[in-house]
Structure formats: C-alpha cells, structure tokens
C-alpha cells in the first residue's frame, strides 16, 4: 500500500498538476475590457502606403517611439514568443504606431524580422506626434508614453476595438512588457489564449467554426 502511494506521489500527481495548470486558461471564458471602443487608426498609412484598421481583427497594438532601433529587441521578443506561434490566423494582426520620420528605421526592423519570419501580419503605421498623443490618451491607460512617444508595452484589442486585460486589483494588467520575454510567455500568452477561446466558442455556438481563429 505504501509503495503504491509513493508511486502515485512521484509519478501520477506531477502529471495531474501539469495538466491542471496547462489547461488553466480554459477555466476563464472572458477577458475583461479595460477600455471599450477605442478609436480606429484613421488615415494613417503603413510602410506599403496602405490604410490599416482595427475593425474585425484581433490586434496586438504597440507604440514604437522615435527610438525604434534602440528598442528593436522588444520586437524580436514579441515576434518569437507570440507572433511566430499565431501568425497563421487571418484574423490576427500586429500593429505598431510610429512617429513620422521613422519609416526607414521601421523598414530595417521588418527586414530583420523577415529574414526568418513571414512578416505579412506586421503593420507599422505612421502619424504625427500630436496625433499619436491624442490616440494614446483616448485609451485611458494608467501607463504613459515616454518622451519619445514609445512604450515597451503592447496591448490586446479585440475585433470590436475593445482593449482587453486584467482588472483584478491584485494582478491588474492593461499591457504586456515586451522587454521581458517571460511576461510574454506567461501573462500575455495566457490572456491571448482566452481571447482566442472566446471567439472559437462564439463561432462554435453559431455553428460557424473556422480555421481562421
């Protein structure tokens, strides 16, 4: 009897614990809304001269600031931990808001990422400094842009343009710090899975399941 208990503790219990925590994301069915109905991007253009919209897309939204090359490691962290894992989803996009005048620097980032990644889901859009400030302010976040109009945080925006995160006082989270790979691998990945779970559940409920999510 004692031998069986020891074997259970050593081999079975760790497996059960792993499965419990690995599937923990499924215990949540909704990621709270931090800011509802944020503004769209207007007529800001991408590197390809295209207009990018937040409508009908799950968006990972970032703000590069003017020192985009200095902080390029943040993009590589985000690319490795989140983008490469999910870039096959047609309903997902990564949008980075950049100050006008940083187009060449942004192009260098895209080319570097493109050496080992399909970068079709990355969109760098450009706006005047005042426009960026106005757009960021209407997100109503606790965090602020730095003096270069950038932040290492990225934000999850759903298809209805609601900015999503954690509202619990003990673990409030409105954005995810790309400087820390562990935060992307843990908190952000967990929350992003909840968003995907929401849409998959909705599609399944409407008998309209798709591989796009």
């Amino acid at each position: 009897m004692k031998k069986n208990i020891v074997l259970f503790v050593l081999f079975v219990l760790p497996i059960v614990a792993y499965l419990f925590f690995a599937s923990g994301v499924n215990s949540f069915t909704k990621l709270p809304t931090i800011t509802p109905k944020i503004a769209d991007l207007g007529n800001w253009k991408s590197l390809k001269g295209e207009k990018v919209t937040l409508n009908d897309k799950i968006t990972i939204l970032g703000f590069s600031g003017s020192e985009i090359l200095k902080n390029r490691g943040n993009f590589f962290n985000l690319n490795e931990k989140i983008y490469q894992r999910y870039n096959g989803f047609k309903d997902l996009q990564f949008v980075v808001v950049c100050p006008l005048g940083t187009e060449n620097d942004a192009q260098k980032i895209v080319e570097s990422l493109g050496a080992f990644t399909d970068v079709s889901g990355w969109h760098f859009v450009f706006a005047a400094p005042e426009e960026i400030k106005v757009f960021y302010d209407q997100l109503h976040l606790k965090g602020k842009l730095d003096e270069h109009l950038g932040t290492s945080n990225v934000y999850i925006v759903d298809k209805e343009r609601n900015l999503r995160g954690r509202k619990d006082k003990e673990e409030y989270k409105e954005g995810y710090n790309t400087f820390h790979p562990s935060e992307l691998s843990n908190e952000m990945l967990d929350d992003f899975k909840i968003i995907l779970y929401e849409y998959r559940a909705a599609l399944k409920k409407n008998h309209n399941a798709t591989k796009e999510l």
Side-chain angles (χ1 to χ4, degrees):
M1 183 66 180
K2 290 183 178 180
K3 183 178 180 180
N4 290 336
I5 294 176
V6 171
L7 289 174
F8 178 82
V9 172
L10 290 177
F11 297 102
V12 179
L13 192 58
I15 294 174
V16 173
Y18 170 78
L19 293 174
F20 174 80
F21 288 111
S23 61
V25 67
N26 293 327
S27 65
F28 300 95
T29 57
K30 193 76 171 178
L31 189 68
T33 294
I34 302 296
T35 306
K37 295 295 181 182
I38 68 172
D40 202 2
L41 298 176
N43 293 316
W44 301 350
K45 296 298 194 304
S46 70
L47 281 170
K48 296 181 180 180
E50 299 171 336
K51 179 181 176 181
V52 177
T53 179
L54 303 180
N55 291 319
D56 302 318
K57 293 282 188 179
I58 298 174
T59 302
I60 305 301
L61 178 66
F63 296 82
S64 72
S66 57
E67 295 193 333
I68 183 170
L69 287 181
K70 181 178 179 181
N71 299 312
R72 60 186 176 275
N74 296 348
F75 298 104
F76 286 90
N77 289 340
L78 183 61
N79 187 71
E80 178 184 354
K81 299 300 181 180
I82 306 295
Y83 180 86
Q84 288 184 333
R85 184 167 181 169
Y86 292 103
N87 70 337
F89 295 135
K90 292 178 63 177
D91 292 340
L92 174 66
Q93 62 181 356
F94 285 60
V95 176
V96 183
V97 178
C98 313
L100 287 170
T102 61
E103 288 86 348
N104 290 338
D105 291 344
Q107 183 62 46
K108 292 177 181 178
I109 297 293
V110 171
E111 291 173 356
S112 296
L113 293 173
F116 52 88
T117 301
D118 172 10
V119 294
S120 58
W122 279 99
H123 303 284
F124 289 77
V125 299
F126 302 89
E130 286 304 317
E131 291 179 303
I132 295 176
K133 291 178 182 177
V134 170
F135 180 80
Y136 187 86
D137 286 345
Q138 59 89 32
L139 300 181
H140 301 298
L141 302 175
K142 294 181 179 180
K144 304 299 180 184
L145 295 178
D146 62 25
E147 59 184 348
H148 305 290
L149 297 179
T151 174
S152 58
N153 281 350
V154 292
Y155 309 93
I156 297 176
V157 180
D158 67 22
K159 289 186 176 185
E160 289 74 41
R161 302 203 316 269
N162 301 309
L163 193 149
R164 311 286 286 276
R166 304 183 186 188
K167 299 187 76 171
D168 187 89
K169 291 182 179 180
E170 294 183 357
E171 59 173 13
Y172 176 84
K173 186 164 289 295
E174 59 190 19
Y176 308 85
N177 196 330
T178 57
F179 183 77
H180 300 293
S182 61
E183 183 166 332
L184 301 180
S185 298
N186 294 300
E187 289 96 329
M188 183 174 184
L189 188 56
D190 285 349
D191 291 354
F192 185 70
K193 286 179 179 178
I194 296 173
I195 291 290
L196 294 185
Y197 176 80
E198 285 183 35
Y199 283 105
R200 283 171 173 158
L203 289 169
K204 185 176 180 180
K205 183 178 180 179
N206 295 326
H207 305 288
N208 188 31
T210 173
K211 292 183 179 180
E212 293 182 357
L213 280 175

